[in-house]
Amino acid sequence: MPRRLFPKFTGMGSLGIVAGCSGDLSALDPAGPSAASIATLWWVMLAAAAVLFLLVVGLFLTTVFVPHFGRRVTQGQWIIYGGIALPLPLLALLTFFAFWQGEYLLRGAGPPPDDIYRVEAHGTMWSWQFSYPDAPGKAPTQDVLHVPAARTVEIAVTSGDVIHSFWIPRLGGKIDAVPGHVNYLRLRADHPGRYGGVCSEYCGTGHAGMRFEVEAFEDAASAAESESKERK
């Protein structure tokens, strides 16, 4: 590759990396505490992987460029210290951190907040239907989920046919929609707005189009106004 082209390709690669960290379906652009915990876990895992990579590469380069380095270490000791003792503390810390962060997203990890708002999500090939037990008289909606902003939402997720996966990247993690079983997911939108959601598990020929939107409203009047526009 000519040297003059290298900076251009480097710049394009950097732009691609930066662009991948934002957007409507980016888990690295969180808009609520549940998604923020997942993004934090991702960055922590990236940092730990970078540290481990540098340690391994450092050992390798040392054996290449420093004469007689490591010759007193047997093959078994290299395996024990380099393959087990070196990565094990980092992996143990990451596992603990992942469980701690994951419990934050699921029902049962602690007492429900006082302001919890319950929603039911029912997946079928290839759409989502939402109902609102805590909003009596509110009609079910299809492929559009209405939630209050700045309030914890508990979503009961199930399926009417095959296994789907309910995911709103900017608001929370994934949860499977399993026929005959109900899974629960808690999330919150910090601010009013629209957020994209998808089915993240292949469920048939229409899987790619099994998308939905989340509309987070500041108050009930705004939700009613938007619902009225959708009906028209």
Side-chain angles (χ1 to χ4, degrees), residues 39-165:
T40 299
L41 175 60
W42 189 91
W43 288 111
V44 169
M45 291 178 67
L46 178 63
V51 170
L52 189 58
F53 175 78
L54 291 175
L55 286 173
V56 173
V57 171
L59 280 175
F60 172 74
L61 293 177
T62 304
T63 59
V64 172
F65 294 106
V66 178
H68 310 299
F69 174 81
R71 288 191 176 183
R72 295 181 181 180
V73 182
T74 65
Q75 293 180 353
Q77 289 174 328
W78 275 113
I79 293 173
I80 292 173
Y81 295 112
I84 299 176
L86 181 63
L88 194 59
L90 281 175
L91 294 176
L93 288 173
L94 284 176
T95 301
F96 174 78
F97 189 73
F99 277 116
W100 176 56
Q101 293 287 64
E103 283 296 311
Y104 180 81
L105 307 177
L106 302 177
R107 184 190 199 188
D114 295 334
D115 65 341
I116 199 163
Y117 182 81
R118 295 176 300 154
V119 173
E120 295 175 355
H122 185 75
T124 55
M125 294 187 288
W126 288 278
S127 66
W128 294 93
Q129 181 169 313
F130 304 102
S131 54
Y132 306 88
D134 284 350
K138 180 175 176 59
T141 56
Q142 185 169 338
D143 294 331
V144 180
L145 171 60
H146 296 157
V147 299
R151 185 174 173 184
T152 301
V153 178
E154 182 178 89
I155 305 175
V157 183
T158 188
S159 169
D161 37 49
V162 300
I163 296 178
H164 303 281
S165 187

Side-chain angles (χ1 to χ4, degrees), residues 174-200:
K174 304 175 184 178
I175 197 77
D176 280 346
V178 182
H181 181 76
V182 181
N183 287 325
Y184 295 89
L185 180 69
R186 288 179 181 173
L187 50 81
R188 190 181 77 193
D190 286 335
H191 306 286
R194 287 176 174 260
Y195 306 95
V198 295
C199 172
S200 61

